[in-house]
Amino acid sequence: MPNITFQNTNGQILNLSDQKGKVIFINFWATWCPPCIAEMPSVNELYEKLQHNKNIVFIMVDADHDFNKSVPFMNKHQFTLPLYEANSEIPENLLSGSIPITVIFDKKGQLVFHHEGAGDYSSAKFADYLLKLSR
């Protein structure tokens, strides 16, 4: 698991390497990015299905590092996703320059999913995939 830190809107720091033993769903996005906006409802739906699973962590990373834009965006669309910004360098194998990018780490800290571009994460099949990883 890479040693990356994120900061949430309350200033709390989350160190990715401390999350080993959990499934980590990370989405890099921005408020001005049409594919990001298009996939956000499906990500929010997935989060609402699985948010109470203590073995799954969701990290929505504002690629612009601008909570002054991303927080109102989330509120306007009534998304309940946990919002973060990167507090350290992101390795190129995770974030190559274009967004949205979604990555998933399994409980062992291995990268098991990497998707560049908009995705639909609202299917029961995708939720089952995360649940299976979390067992």
Side-chain angles (χ1 to χ4, degrees):
M1 178 103 47
N3 190 22
I4 305 169
T5 57
F6 300 96
Q7 182 173 323
N8 71 11
T9 56
N10 297 324
Q12 295 170 312
I13 303 296
L14 180 134
N15 191 322
L16 199 59
S17 60
D18 291 344
Q19 303 305 308
K20 199 165 184 183
K22 297 180 181 181
V23 174
I24 312 296
F25 178 103
I26 304 174
N27 180 272
F28 298 93
W29 71 285
T31 59
W32 50 263
C33 164
C36 302
I37 294 166
E39 78 174 358
M40 194 67 70
S42 75
V43 177
N44 194 70
E45 189 176 325
L46 177 68
Y47 173 70
E48 289 188 350
K49 284 180 194 170
L50 302 178
Q51 67 181 321
H52 299 294
N53 185 320
K54 302 219 181 302
N55 291 323
I56 302 174
V57 175
F58 284 80
I59 304 172
M60 300 300 295
V61 182
D62 175 2
D64 286 335
H65 303 276
D66 191 351
F67 286 147
N68 290 326
K69 289 182 182 174
S70 56
V71 170
F73 174 88
M74 290 290 200
N75 292 337
K76 175 183 173 189
H77 296 284
Q78 299 179 332
F79 296 141
T80 57
L81 295 155
L83 190 56
Y84 291 85
E85 61 183 25
N87 217 19
S88 63
E89 284 293 314
I90 305 294
E92 272 190 35
N93 68 323
L94 299 185
L95 184 60
S96 57
S98 66
I99 53 174
I101 290 181
T102 300
V103 296
I104 298 173
F105 291 93
D106 67 11
K107 291 171 72 172
K108 296 177 186 169
Q110 300 297 312
L111 182 65
V112 295
F113 181 86
H114 185 282
H115 180 76
E116 197 169 310
D120 181 0
Y121 301 102
S122 62
S123 72
K125 186 177 179 180
F126 200 85
D128 289 344
Y129 171 68
L130 287 182
L131 287 170
K132 187 176 180 183
L133 287 174
S134 74
R135 291 188 188 114

